[in-house]
Amino acid sequence: MIKAIAMIADGTEEVECLGVVDILRRAGVQTSLVAVGGKTIVSSHGVTVTADKTVDEVDFGDADLIFVAGGLPGTRNIAACKPLINGIKQALSDGRRVAAICAAPALVLGANGFLKGKKATCYPGFEDNMTGAQIQSSARVVTDGNVTTARGLGCTIELGLELVRLLIGDGQADEIKDKIQF
């Protein structure tokens, strides 16, 4: 069973997160919505979301994919989570997948040096935080090695499908793409 962790916190962009989670779950990826702080968060647009688990209840080493959504102040709240940052560091060292969208590629991955030498994209205006990255400013979704980044909300479906393609294969990604009329 392929396992994924999708991180949320107060201020997370809910559609970026839940859109990717939806596509991963459609593909059969066991995806846990994991919250920083309490199990219930309020998104950047005032939507209340209840996570499956909190950070204290999860083993980052058990995930084939760690995904971080954007949104402010959610991305900053997630970036301050030391267990997550350590989990991402270990995942990358182990060759497991990490993905981020919107401000998260910059404020979580780039700010912690995880993008050095990698092609990546982020929400326009956050490029200064993409430490060492080869910024692909016009790209919507970029995969370089085991790191996938996306620009923002409008790229959510593409990001989800890319992750399915990488984790399972083209056939499953194409099947979901057809089913959701994308």
Side-chain angles (χ1 to χ4, degrees):
M1 170 73 57
I2 298 171
K3 296 179 183 178
I5 291 173
M7 297 300 302
I8 60 171
D10 282 330
T12 291
E13 206 314 320
E14 65 277 11
V15 175
E16 290 172 357
C17 182
L18 298 178
V20 170
V21 168
D22 176 276
I23 289 173
L24 290 171
R25 287 183 177 177
R26 285 174 191 259
V29 176
Q30 183 182 332
T31 306
S32 296
L33 199 55
V34 177
V36 174
K39 218 171 198 177
T40 301
I41 65 105
V42 177
S43 75
S44 61
H45 297 100
V47 177
T48 301
V49 178
T50 302
D52 301 309
K53 300 177 181 181
T54 64
V55 167
D56 301 333
E57 300 171 313
V58 72
D59 176 4
F60 289 101
D62 195 34
D64 299 292
L65 166 69
I66 299 172
F67 166 61
V68 183
L72 294 175
T75 304
R76 288 190 176 98
N77 292 332
I78 291 169
C81 179
K82 295 299 180 200
L84 169 66
I85 301 306
N86 291 336
I88 290 172
K89 182 178 182 178
Q90 188 61 53
L92 292 173
S93 175
D94 294 346
R96 291 180 284 125
R97 297 214 157 276
V98 173
I101 188 170
C102 196
L107 299 181
V108 176
L109 303 182
N112 285 287
F114 298 137
L115 297 177
K116 287 183 180 162
K118 293 200 174 285
K119 294 178 183 174
T121 192
C122 67
Y123 190 81
F126 285 88
E127 294 87 356
D128 288 348
N129 294 294
M130 301 277 282
T131 307
Q134 298 171 24
I135 299 169
Q136 311 293 299
S137 58
S138 63
R140 296 174 55 81
V141 176
V142 175
T143 296
D144 189 342
N146 56 341
V147 176
T148 302
T149 54
R151 285 182 62 139
L153 175 71
C155 308
T156 300
I157 303 298
E158 290 163 79
L159 174 59
L161 292 170
E162 172 73 352
L163 294 173
V164 169
R165 184 183 71 74
L166 293 166
L167 292 167
I168 301 171
D170 291 336
Q172 185 69 30
D174 289 342
E175 184 178 318
I176 291 170
K177 184 177 176 180
D178 290 343
K179 285 183 178 178
I180 64 171
Q181 302 298 296
F182 185 73

